[in-house]
Amino acid sequence: MEICSTKSRWNFKGKEEAKKASACTIRGYLNNLNENINKNDTRNVIPLSHGDPSGFPNFRTTKVSEDALIDSLQSGKYNGYAQKSVLLQATRSIAEYLSRDYPYELSSNDVHVTAGAKQAIDVLITALAVPGANILLPRPRYPAYEALATFNRLEIRHYDLLPEQDWEVDINGLEALADDRTVAMVNINPGDPCGNVYESEHLKKVVSSLHYTCIYFVKNVV
Ligand SMILES: Cc1ncc(COP(=O)(O)O)c(C=O)c1O
């Protein structure tokens, strides 16, 4: 049986919008800058753009967490698919921990564990993307939201963050963007790439400015 003939062609082609959305990444610009640093200049470069704190000794994971991880790996009990009871233990503990800061109690049913924030964004955007729907994304923003919304054929509407107001949301602009097809507004707090943290009063104003019911999804860095 001939599996691959030199004459056959792949029956797909790249998506132009997706290519455009993934072409400009902050990491790409940073790599470009880093590659162009003058190697003969002996001054220390302070890595202000370094987003992952785990490379610095003052951000070490606690020893108790490291030991718990090592113990569970070495026990040989958790190297396969998770049993429901094990997952329940984890989601219950997460719910208990998060409930300390919420005005209401979370249960294990409120917790969905993903491999990082990107998978969570993927799950949420895929679930929200129905034909004709739109999503509100901040400008400037972390690029993964735009790429995943584009892949899922959501219409993207940008609202502005105002540099002169410590990157607060331009509430007037936001009100004009949302309509009855808006399924979500992404609010990144603490802000990436701007690094700001919103006052809760500002967040309340943002939420009350949207007259349609949609999901607000926020990435908290813990
Ligand atoms: C706003 C935002 N969303 C998503 C991510 C991706 O998170 P993860 O690396 O956990 O997938 C990041 C990472 O910095 C982020 O800042």
Side-chain angles (χ1 to χ4, degrees):
M1 185 178 70
E2 189 180 16
I3 294 175
C4 182
S5 127
T6 47
K7 281 187 194 147
S8 54
R9 285 168 185 262
W10 292 109
N11 197 20
F12 66 83
K13 47 184 180 298
K15 289 184 196 153
E16 271 316 303
E17 314 99 287
K19 214 155 86 186
K20 244 197 274 166
S22 61
C24 313
T25 64
I26 294 171
R27 186 68 45 207
Y29 287 119
L30 282 175
N31 288 345
N32 202 358
L33 280 176
N34 286 332
E35 279 158 18
N36 284 292
I37 289 176
N38 180 359
K39 308 256 179 327
N40 299 323
D41 191 328
T42 52
R43 286 174 297 176
N44 275 342
V45 176
I46 301 172
L48 292 177
S49 58
H50 194 98
D52 178 0
S54 61
F56 298 94
N58 47 337
F59 282 103
R60 275 295 296 265
T61 304
T62 57
K63 178 138 178 26
V64 67
S65 315
E66 289 177 351
D67 289 346
L69 192 63
I70 292 165
D71 285 350
S72 66
L73 280 175
Q74 288 182 338
S75 73
K77 287 195 226 158
Y78 308 108
N79 298 345
Y81 289 114
Q83 291 161 14
K84 208 163 174 226
S85 57
V86 175
L87 209 55
L88 192 63
Q89 231 174 309
T91 51
R92 222 182 256 147
S93 303
I94 295 168
E96 257 170 46
Y97 178 80
L98 292 176
S99 295
R100 298 187 319 185
D101 291 330
Y102 281 113
Y104 45 83
E105 190 111 339
L106 294 172
S107 81
S108 61
N109 288 335
D110 298 314
V111 177
H112 182 80
V113 179
T114 59
K118 257 198 211 133
Q119 197 197 2
I121 302 165
D122 196 359
V123 169
L124 283 169
I125 289 191
T126 307
L128 291 168
V130 290
N134 66 72
I135 186 165
L136 310 184
L137 300 185
R139 181 169 48 199
R141 73 203 152 273
Y142 183 82
Y145 299 82
E146 180 121 1
L148 286 163
T150 304
F151 272 119
N152 284 284
R153 299 188 185 282
L154 272 169
E155 183 199 336
I156 296 166
R157 299 184 181 177
H158 293 117
Y159 66 88
D160 286 320
L161 304 182
L162 305 170
E164 63 282 3
Q165 289 176 36
D166 204 11
W167 303 104
E168 282 191 344
V169 173
D170 172 14
I171 292 180
N172 294 333
L174 185 68
E175 276 173 327
L177 285 179
D179 62 19
D180 59 350
R181 309 309 307 262
T182 304
V183 287
M185 172 203 175
V186 173
N187 179 268
I188 301 171
N189 188 32
D192 186 350
C194 304
N196 57 304
V197 178
Y198 292 118
E199 301 280 345
S200 59
E201 279 314 305
H202 178 65
L203 289 177
K204 279 185 201 150
K205 275 193 213 152
V206 169
V207 171
S208 58
S209 74
L210 290 173
H211 305 297
Y212 298 95
T213 310
C214 64
I215 293 178
Y216 310 95
F217 74 94
V218 174
K219 187 202 179 215
N220 277 314
V221 177
V222 287

